[in-house]
Amino acid sequence: MFYFGEIAALTVCWLFYCEIYWIIERRVLRACSRQYINKRCKKFTDRLFFTPVSGKARLGIRYYINRLLVYVLTCFTAFHLLLGWNESLEGIIRALTTLLIISMGAVAVSKSSSATEYICANNNILSKRNIFLFKILSVVSELILIAVYLYFAWAYIG
């Protein structure tokens, strides 16, 4: 049960990473045109990290945070898939996953309202009431994800 619960928690971490990636992508799109990005970023790693356009987009520390998050999540996912079944490592895995969920979730919650505005604008949702409701729903759903993980990891499975 613990193994599958932690895989679900890693999935949530990857979803939080997607929201952080979208923050960086929106910043790049504000600074560079889509054609400029397509011309410069041809490889998958260029698309993931925006290396060729990071100077023009003024990503700064966001560039390094993006790289760090991808490497940490990839290594931790591989570690968990290979050794997560080992009962002696449950405490370490639980602590590291909790740290990832809380740190990435805090950023995702704080930026979710601007992401919701962006999504609503792209889908032609113009009602301020609907946008406000989507913002609240987004923040609450991310807080619930964090709280559910903390409850199940530390109270239920502990």
Side-chain angles (χ1 to χ4, degrees), residues 8-42:
L10 283 172
T11 305
V12 170
C13 284
W14 280 105
L15 290 173
F16 286 158
Y17 168 74
C18 287
E19 191 153 346
I20 294 168
Y21 175 80
W22 291 330
I23 294 166
I24 294 168
E25 184 182 38
R26 283 194 311 269
R27 182 164 179 100
V28 169
L29 285 172
R30 272 189 255 131
C32 307
S33 68
R34 180 93 44 201
Q35 292 82 17
Y36 183 81
I37 295 169
N38 289 339
K39 186 175 160 184
R40 300 278 191 270
C41 300
K42 296 191 188 270

Side-chain angles (χ1 to χ4, degrees), residues 11-153:
T11 305
V12 170
C13 284
W14 280 105
L15 290 173
F16 286 158
Y17 168 74
C18 287
E19 191 153 346
I20 294 168
Y21 175 80
W22 291 330
I23 294 166
I24 294 168
E25 184 182 38
R26 283 194 311 269
R27 182 164 179 100
V28 169
L29 285 172
R30 272 189 255 131
C32 307
S33 68
R34 180 93 44 201
Q35 292 82 17
Y36 183 81
I37 295 169
N38 289 339
K39 186 175 160 184
R40 300 278 191 270
C41 300
K42 296 191 188 270
K43 295 185 284 184
F44 174 73
T45 56
D46 291 342
R47 287 278 184 186
L48 185 62
F49 302 124
F50 299 107
T51 304
V53 295
S54 63
K56 185 175 181 182
R58 297 181 183 214
L59 292 180
I61 192 76
R62 290 176 195 92
Y63 172 76
Y64 297 105
I65 289 172
N66 185 24
R67 284 189 88 97
L68 178 71
L69 287 175
V70 168
Y71 292 137
V72 165
L73 283 170
T74 302
C75 290
F76 191 64
T77 301
F79 174 76
H80 180 71
L81 290 174
L82 294 174
L83 301 172
W85 52 267
N86 191 345
E87 288 183 20
S88 64
L89 296 174
E90 280 184 14
I92 294 169
I93 291 172
R94 184 180 299 156
L96 289 175
T97 307
T98 300
L99 181 67
L100 281 173
I101 286 267
I102 291 174
S103 61
M104 295 178 73
V107 173
V109 166
S110 68
K111 299 296 183 177
S112 66
S113 63
S114 62
T116 303
E117 282 182 9
Y118 183 76
I119 291 169
C120 287
N122 285 342
N123 291 323
N124 294 325
I125 300 171
L126 303 174
S127 168
K128 289 186 179 188
R129 180 177 174 267
N130 288 343
I131 292 172
F132 181 71
L133 289 174
F134 284 130
K135 282 182 182 181
I136 291 173
L137 184 66
S138 176
V139 169
V140 168
S141 66
E142 289 177 352
L143 288 173
I144 288 172
L145 280 173
I146 295 169
V148 165
Y149 169 75
L150 291 175
Y151 173 74
F152 280 112

